[in-house]
Structures are given as C-alpha cells and as structure tokens.
Amino acid sequence: MPENAKKISFAKCGEDSTCGTSREREAAYSGSKKEMTCVVCPTGCVLTITLNADKSVKSVTGNACGRGVIYAENECVRPMRTLTTTAALANGRMLPVRTDRAVPRDTLIDCMREINRKIVAPTAKIYDIIIENVADTGANVVAAANGSDCA
Amino acid sequence: MKKQLVIIGGGPAGMAAAVAVRDHGIEDILILERAAHPGGILRQCIHSGFGLHKFKEELTGPEYAWKYEQMIAERGIELMTGTMVIGLTQEKVVTAVNPALGVFTVEAQAVILAMGCRERPRGALNIPGTRPAGILTAGTAQKFVNIDGYLPGKRVVILGSGDIGLIMARRMTLEGAKVEMVCELLPYSGGLARNIEQCLNDFGIPLLLSHTVTEIHGDRNLQTVTVSQVNTNRKPIPGTERLVECDTLLLSVGLIPENELTAMAGLTLESTTGGTAVDERRETAIPGIFACGNVLHVHDLVDFVSDEAELAGHGAAAYIQGKARKGRPLIVAAGTGVRYTVPRHVIERSKPVKIYFRVTDVFRDASVVVRDSRAVLFSQKKSRLAPGEMESVTLAPELLKRASGDILTVMLEVQNA
Amino acid sequence: MKLKMYDVAVIGAGVVGALTARELSRYSLSVCLIEKGNDVAGGATRANSGIVHAGFDAETGTLKARLNVKGARLMPALAAELGVHYRQNGSLVVGYNAADRTEIQTLYERGLANGVENLAILDIELLQKIEPALSKKAICALYAPTAGVICPFGLAIAATGNAMDNGADCLLNYEVTELLREADGFRISGSGAPISARFVVNAAGVFSDKIARLIGDDSFRLRPRRGEYMLLDKVCGNLLNHTVFFTPDEKGKGVLVSPTADGNLLLGPTSSFVTGKSDTATTAEGLEQILAEAYRQVPELPAGKVITSFAGLRAVGDTGDFIINSPVPGFVNAAGIESPGLTASPAIARYIVNLLAENGLALREKPDFNPIRPALGGFREKTAEEQNAVIRVNPRYGNVICRCEQVSEGEILEALTRNPIAHDTDGIKRRVRAGMGRCQGEFCLPSVAAVLAEELGIPFEAVTKSGAGSKVNLRRTKGNAD
C-alpha cells in the first residue's frame, strides 16, 4: 500500500450519496410508500407499494402482471428467493443445483450450509431430488444437470 | 470430410441453429464444440432467469442447455466435442483439431458461426499498477467457482455492474466471500434491475456508480485497489481516491464477440457490434456463411439467442436447398439514439422482419421511430430504454414494401426536451 | 558440514546469468545457476523491448559498444541453436527535423566506428516506401538492417534449459544474502541450503550492487530506472515492418514502436528512476505518455487493440558503461547491464567466461556438450502434416487449451517437464504462450491450472501465478478434491 494511503471504510449502503441502490429509494419514502424492483421475471418492473398503517400492503402499482402483487406482498413480509448453487459430486466435480421453489431469503445461508455438506453420487440425473425440505423451508434441492455431464 | 452444414460452436446459438436446420430438412450437419460437453457458456451460468420467453419457465443455464441437448439427440445431429476450430476460409473450408483426428478439414456447403464471445481483460483497460494474482474476469471466476468448485478469494471488489458482475457478486457471497463493492464507470448500471435487487441489495453490497478502479496494488497477490469517482467525461476526479483492501478483483467490463475465424474468412467486423454485418436470414457478406448469437452481437437473454439462431438455421437450410432470394437490399441504419441494428440489411420484404437494436444511453418516454428518406413509417412509445437491454421492433411486409429508397433508419425521438 | 561444491555459481538467472551458465556448461565444470524467484528471467529480462540493437547507440570504445556489436553478430546462430525465434527485421531511427537529421548523421558515423554493417541513411521517399504506416512528417531515418527482435525471456529460458541439459544445476527461490570468502572459493547462503563455489558470477540484475557489497565491493551503485510498455494484439503485428525509434535527444531514446518476435506490436518504454528495486508497477502517466509518443510515429496506431501493459527496471550503473570486472579473485561482476544488455548478452557471457579463465578457471571442453535445444512451443507454426505426425504419437497435442495462441496440452506438458520446468502459470505462459493472447488467459487459465496441478502433483488450490504468495484460488468451496 502506498505510504500516503487514504483508507476509508465504507459508508453503509444508502448513507453514501454515491450509492445507487434502491435501498436509497426505500429510505427516501416516508413509511407509507415503498419502491422496489420485482425479481420474478427479467422484466424487472419497478413497483410502488402503498402500505396500510399496520405496514401490510394496501395497493401495488407498476406491475405488468399479477405475480408482481404477490412478490410485493412477500417482499414486505418475508422476501422469497430461488436458490441456485452447486453441490459436490463424489468424484470432486460440481453439480449445478437449485431449489424447486422460492425459499425465504433469510434461510439462504442455512440452505447453502446444508447443500455444501452434501456429497452427491455422480450418477445423479437432472431433476433428481438431492435434498428434501432443505433447511426446513419446504423446498427441495434438485439437480439442474446430469452428474455425468459435469466432468 | 464433406458436410452440407458445419456449425462452429455447440452453445445455445449453435444448438438452436442445428435444430432449426434439421427441422427444415437438412440432415448432413456437424456441430464442432471445443469443450468436452455442449452448452457453451450456459454450463457455468448456474443461475436462473433463462427460458422465460422461450419455454415459459424460469430455468438455470444448464437446464436451458439440456433442453437443446435433448433436441439434438432426438434428431440424431452429429456433435463433435473437444474439437477446436482453428481455420475458416471464404470457400467454407473449416480446419479443426482434436486428439482423436488430429488436424482435419471439413468442406462445407454452408457454415453457421456460433462462437460466442470472450471478456475484456484488465490489460485492455490500461488499469495502472502492479500485476499480482487475484485479478480475474467475472466469467473466469464463474468457471472456477461453478465448474471447478474453487473460490478465487474472500475479499472481492467487482468492476463493472453488467449482469455477469452482479451475478458473481451474489455467487461469491453465497460461497463465503465478502464482496466489498461493485464499481460502475457509468452513471447507470448495465445490468438488469432484478439483478441489482437480488445480487446486491439482498446482500447489502454497495453499488458505486460513476466510479472506477484507478490503480492496483500488491506484489505477488492483490492487496488493495484504488477506487475513484469519475466525472461526466468518465475521467477520474482527483481527490476522490480511496483504497479498498481486497484479494480479488473481478472485471465485468465488456464482452467481445469471438470473431477470429470470421476475420480469417475475410469478413469485416462492425465497430458497433464487434460482429459482422448480416441480413434478415443472418447471412453474412459471404453467401453460405451465417452468424448468430453472441458472435454476431452480444445478447442479454439467451431466449433471443435461440430465436436468432433459428433464423440463421432456417437461412442456412434455404441456402443449401438452393432457394434464391430476390430483392434489392434495404439497408437498416442506426440513427439518433441507436447504437446498432441487427440485421444491417433486409433482402426479402415479403415476410415480417424483427430488427434488434441497442440504444446509446438511458432514455425515458422516447419513441422508437423507423423512417425512410421521406417519411416516418413506424413509431412506438417506450417508457424506458437502456443500453444494457436489447430491444426489437418487428416490421411488417407492408411497411418494408412501402419504404422508398434504399435506407431504413431506426432512431429515437425523445418526447420532452 | 560438507557443502555441495561447485566450480562456478552464477547468481541471477536473467539473460546474462542464463547465457553465462550455458557457456560454462560447454566445459567440464560443475555449474550452479542461482535464482531468487520462482522462475528464471524474473527481472528486467522479462520486461524489456526485446530488441537486438545494431550497435550505433553506445559510445565508441565502451564495453557497451563492443559487446553490442559482437552480441548482435552472435545472436542469429545462438537463437537457432536454442530454438528461439529471432526476427532480423531491421530498425529505423526516424528524424523529424534538422536537429534529428544532424543526430542521425552522428549515429551513422558512430555506427561505422563501432563496426556496424550495412547502415544507411534513408530519404523521405524511400522511408515512406519501406515503412508506409510511419508518420508523413518523418523526413529521414537511419536504417540498420542488422537489428532484430527476439523474445528475451524465451532466450533466457532456453539458455537455462540447455545449460541444465548439459549438466548445470538451477536453484530457484534462493535469495543470496551472504557471501563468505573461503580458502578455495566462496560460501554462498541465503534462503536455500548453503553451497560452496570456487568462482562466483554476479549477474543479479538490479540487485547486483547488493551482491557485490556482500564481498566488500562498494565500487558501484545501481539505480533502478523503470520502463513501462504496452503490448498490442497480433492483428497489429504487420502494421510496421521494422522497429521504429525516435532520434534520441538529451532525454533519452524515447518510446519505440516495434513488431515483436511473436507477432505482436510493442510500444514503450518510458524512463523514470524509482526508489524501490522491485517497483514494476505501471502508472497512468506512463501509459498515457507511451500512447502519445507512439501516435507521433504511427498516426494510425489502433490503441483499442492494447491487450496488456507491464514495466521493468533497468539496472543503471553510475559508471556510464557495463560493469564487468573482477573486484576480488574468483568473483566476476556483470552489473549495470542496461540497454544494450539483451543484445550484448551472448558476448557478455563469453567475456565473463574469459574473465573467469583469467582468474584461474580451467576450461576443458566437454566432448558431449550439446548446443542444440529443440524449440519449446510453436506447435501452431508446424504444418498440418507435421502436427498430425506428433498427435498420432501423443494425442495431447491435439487438445488445444489456449485458443488465442493455439497452444495444445502437449506443449503445456513440455513446459512442465523440460528443463527448466515451469512451476506456476506465469512460467507456462512465458514458455509456450498459453495466456499471452488477446484474452490474456480469461479462457484458458482454469485449464492451464488443471494441467499444471496434475503434472506437478499438487492440489488445484495450490497452483500459483508466480510462486509463493500468488495463489490463483483460495480454497475449495465444498466437497473433496477428485
């Protein structure tokens, strides 16, 4: 590191004025409105959510389809995500895997931990269930490819 | 060896083209793929988001590739893996090499170029500083993590907020690394909004717009990078430098179509796309040589790669079947606000033509306008257009036939000044 | 404790040390080449212009001048013996004004005095004809057809390999920190097991003054002067036919633009003193300067075709000439080997051996000395028939791993099995060019690392870029290695 190094630790996301995340937009709203990007499909509609006094969803605008409303409702309560990752095959190669449905975002690290402990037989076929009910989410982890294609 | 059709590349473009050619009646097809398995870049794209348009399902890259592998197998299309194509002539002689056959040539009646693209390396960016270990393009890191099962480092800075950089921000985090930040030179991100949400916001990873890495430090391995804010001319602003400790710098700063073979055949490359110019059948300036997918222009969604590959496949089949095309070429030009269009010209005006294009900047409430030398022929309002999201307009035969002159210009008209 | 005793220890496996070891391996001697890095050619040898200068630059009568001309004469045959690609493409010192014209005349005369052959001064017409991409503002040039280009680290690697094939040892990761004079020679120690040598050659590059001081020679000081470079894609390789120099002025030789022996286009170097003897960072100012100056010579330079940039340190001595002497019996310095060091290196090696002989080293030629080292790499340059003959015997040559430079697995294995073997991905890169192409290893690095790990029998995560402290990967993400 150069002697005249200026080392500054980073401002929290949203506090730094150069930060361009939508959390910034969230913070900008007074509390009765929220803005977020829907992640259900690649279109990425920008949703504006009006909240009731008890912070439940009153209405959603900006969505191109009904899935956006469900997404907004989930996001306000407990955001859900599909997890895509890899699992180790017994021969040392990596098998792409995914959850067969969305899981709560706050369980992603637990799911990762469980998946990373697993050793999968190289004979696994695409869509075989690798782990049932991962991290007690109700979702299964399935193979996203054939083990034999992962050499 | 002689074949009716050789397809260079067994990724999503090559496979979809092969299926289309076969379904239009040509059987003597050979796909040449350099990796041990087909699928191309999709093999390492283990995230989801593929197939929503094409299959109405949200698939991961490997699942999308698998669908085409099954189609290839069902049709008995010949696929040679572990084979690197090293030469292509104007006369459609393909030279390739693999351990079993050594160096061999294939004389093809038609060739479809589907070689995809590579990433821009640090050296091409002229980032000054040292040259330690720990500097990788995002795609190489993706290969290490997803194919080989290794983590390049644990404290990561990512330069470039295109989708690959964003995807790797999440991937590295999930596998235990700390991603300190994503820096983006431009004042807007090139990636999909959903990726900013799922890959950065979900993990509290800051996105620094109008920032770039201006120096690299570390003797043997990366120790720190200097991050600076840039002005409207994208030049670093003195005094804004800050040092970020990291052991890994991932670069997601541009994809370059892999056109070495294209150039060998004598085709010229467009500076706007990095690919060669084609007509609506994706035929290049050399009759019988077609191009599709990322080698032609860098796509965002593989679904559109498949669509484009089907056009090329249909075109190649028609060419082999001797179906001549008539018509004066209509040149498609990129006007104000548009960086490029694919195709660059249209020959047959009796069928609808989908023109893909990219815009030069982020535009809100603009109209996409298609005009000839005399009048506006087509206009469509769009609430948001961005360089990172490829757009298209479909031109009906009536419009194509109505066009006077030889040039159609695709341009933007912004509503409010 | 009885230490391993060598006749000659050469400290520093740059191009001078490597060629010296190779010269010594002609004779019935035990030779040890000692290198502090994880690979040979780690200093200025791997970051210089790669030019074989004609020899008109150096002041007549200096060692630089004599050894430059001699080295340039020896280079073509040496390159052929060692299987290193040498291109005699000639050089042009280009003039833009009257002052340049005068200086070019001076260089011409100096060249004649130094014994350079076939020099000519070209007028504007001939100049534009033989170098069409040159700026139209150029008015004259000194043309030196005996100049050429060579891969400098390729030369050092090949020389080391040939020396080892002829019996020399090469010790890597050995930093010499102590040199003790003993009755029958020197005791060398540092980051490796101590060894003894009757004679020592100090070819430690920019660290030569440090090594000299270990035996009490304080007579010279070296200052590192950094030169930055940019390398352009091979598609630009044909832009110029010759190496193009500016007419030197009081600031120095300036930036050159040259095709390389491998077909790239090289721009550089800059020239500025730095404090650290390991400070090979590039700078924003340096890179800007390179482009600005290069554009003046070649207006159509496609700057968008840059694929990488790097920097090296010249070992600038304070005497104005090469410092090749014997300050104490049995010890030879080869210090301050800045430009024309690469060109002179074959001649420097012989000069050093003569100095050693004067010091009492007996030179008995080995009847079985083999000067030939088959070329490493370059498979892509063979004909398809030649390639297929090799692939039939070893199919791994049919597995192309580096797409940009068309390097096969077979060649990468050669880099890992032939003297001096590569131990890291940079070593493979410098031996067979895998990772040196336009994508700079973006495609092939994982595969190269895999071949290296398997051949050297190390875990994948232990693979380094350039030795200890430069691992390519940190750890496995999950599961067991296969």
Side-chain angles (χ1 to χ4, degrees), chain A residues 85-86 88 91-92 94 116, chain C residues 476-482:
Chain A
T85 180
T86 54
N91 60 14
M94 292 291 120
N116 282 357
Chain C
R476 267 187 81 74
T477 53
K478 62 200 80 176
N480 309 310
D482 54 356

Side-chain angles (χ1 to χ4, degrees), chain B residues 103-127:
Chain B
V103 180
F104 63 97
T105 55
V106 188
E107 289 171 40
Q109 228 185 307
V111 173
I112 299 182
L113 305 172
M115 296 87 77
C117 59
R118 63 173 184 271
E119 296 173 281
R120 183 171 279 116
R122 176 249 177 118
L125 299 173
N126 287 328
I127 304 178

Side-chain angles (χ1 to χ4, degrees), chain A residues 111-128:
Chain A
C111 292
M112 283 296 298
R113 218 172 270 139
E114 205 175 316
I115 293 167
N116 282 357
R117 279 198 294 265
K118 191 86 187 157
I119 305 283
V120 183
T123 48
K125 292 270 169 277
I126 189 171
Y127 300 125
D128 280 356

Side-chain angles (χ1 to χ4, degrees), chain C residues 223-430:
Chain C
R223 287 180 66 198
R225 201 168 67 207
R226 183 169 60 193
E228 299 178 47
Y229 291 91
M230 266 179 169
L231 193 70
L232 269 54
D233 192 315
K234 282 184 174 180
V235 299
C236 309
N238 291 325
L239 193 58
L240 290 180
N241 297 315
H242 311 86
T243 298
V244 167
F245 293 100
F246 278 108
T247 307
D249 58 20
E250 64 285 343
K251 284 188 297 219
K253 287 207 193 109
V255 158
L256 60 83
V257 186
S258 180
T260 67
D262 292 292
N264 293 89
L265 197 68
L266 183 67
L267 317 179
T270 56
S271 180
S272 49
F273 281 108
V274 293
T275 39
K277 287 210 195 235
S278 301
D279 186 4
T280 54
T282 52
T283 63
E285 302 74 30
L287 298 177
E288 266 180 56
Q289 184 195 337
I290 292 170
L291 278 177
E293 290 191 31
Y295 270 125
R296 278 178 50 215
Q297 294 265 48
V298 185
E300 301 296 301
L301 196 73
K305 294 292 181 190
V306 171
I307 61 175
T308 191
S309 49
F310 56 90
L313 298 174
R314 306 165 180 83
V316 179
D318 49 4
T319 66
D321 197 0
F322 291 154
I323 300 164
I324 312 177
N325 57 24
S326 183
V328 306
F331 187 94
V332 171
N333 281 322
I337 312 296
E338 49 162 344
S339 185
L342 170 67
T343 312
S345 58
I348 294 175
R350 290 194 182 183
Y351 190 93
I352 290 171
V353 173
N354 288 338
L355 259 185
L356 289 168
E358 281 169 29
N359 267 252
L361 180 68
L363 302 177
R364 276 182 301 277
E365 284 192 25
K366 280 205 291 239
D368 58 345
F369 173 74
N370 182 4
I372 305 297
R373 182 182 191 264
L376 178 55
F379 193 67
R380 71 193 154 280
E381 282 148 34
K382 296 197 192 316
T383 64
E385 290 71 38
E386 290 168 339
Q387 292 174 331
N388 280 332
V390 175
I391 293 171
R392 268 192 289 276
V393 175
N394 186 348
R396 300 224 215 180
Y397 283 89
N399 181 20
V400 175
I401 289 200
C402 167
R403 164 213 52 216
C404 298
E405 295 287 317
Q406 216 180 292
V407 182
S408 68
E409 185 184 356
E411 292 167 272
I412 294 172
L413 285 168
E414 280 187 53
L416 292 163
T417 52
R418 288 181 55 187
N419 288 327
I421 70 174
H423 291 98
D424 47 47
T425 60
D426 273 0
I428 292 174
K429 183 174 78 170
R430 294 203 179 94

Side-chain angles (χ1 to χ4, degrees), chain A residues 53-122:
Chain A
D54 63 357
K55 300 291 176 192
S56 62
V57 172
K58 186 168 169 187
S59 65
V60 178
T61 56
N63 52 308
C65 77
R67 290 183 294 174
V69 179
I70 300 169
Y71 175 76
E73 286 168 351
N74 283 334
E75 282 294 289
C76 292
V77 174
R78 201 180 185 199
M80 304 289 281
R81 299 283 182 266
T82 301
L83 175 61
T84 57
T85 180
T86 54
L89 290 170
N91 60 14
R93 307 304 296 166
M94 292 291 120
L95 175 73
V97 296
R98 60 174 304 162
T99 51
D100 59 2
R101 70 207 76 167
V103 300
R105 188 178 68 191
D106 52 65
T107 66
L108 287 179
I109 299 299
D110 289 335
C111 292
M112 283 296 298
R113 218 172 270 139
E114 205 175 316
I115 293 167
N116 282 357
R117 279 198 294 265
K118 191 86 187 157
I119 305 283
V120 183

Side-chain angles (χ1 to χ4, degrees), chain C residues 18-27 31 33 40 77-84 154-170 366 368-376 418-421:
Chain C
L19 282 172
T20 302
R22 192 243 182 186
E23 273 307 302
L24 291 166
S25 71
R26 290 182 191 277
Y27 308 103
V31 179
L33 181 58
V40 304
L78 177 68
E81 282 179 344
L82 294 179
V84 179
L155 180 61
I157 289 166
T160 304
N162 188 229
M164 291 172 77
D165 290 345
N166 283 299
D169 284 345
C170 180
K366 280 205 291 239
D368 58 345
F369 173 74
N370 182 4
I372 305 297
R373 182 182 191 264
L376 178 55
R418 288 181 55 187
N419 288 327
I421 70 174

Side-chain angles (χ1 to χ4, degrees), chain B residues 237-256:
Chain B
I237 301 172
T240 64
E241 302 88 4
R242 36 187 166 174
L243 288 171
V244 185
E245 280 184 7
C246 55
D247 61 9
T248 309
L249 173 65
L250 294 191
L251 304 172
S252 173
V253 290
L255 296 175
I256 303 164

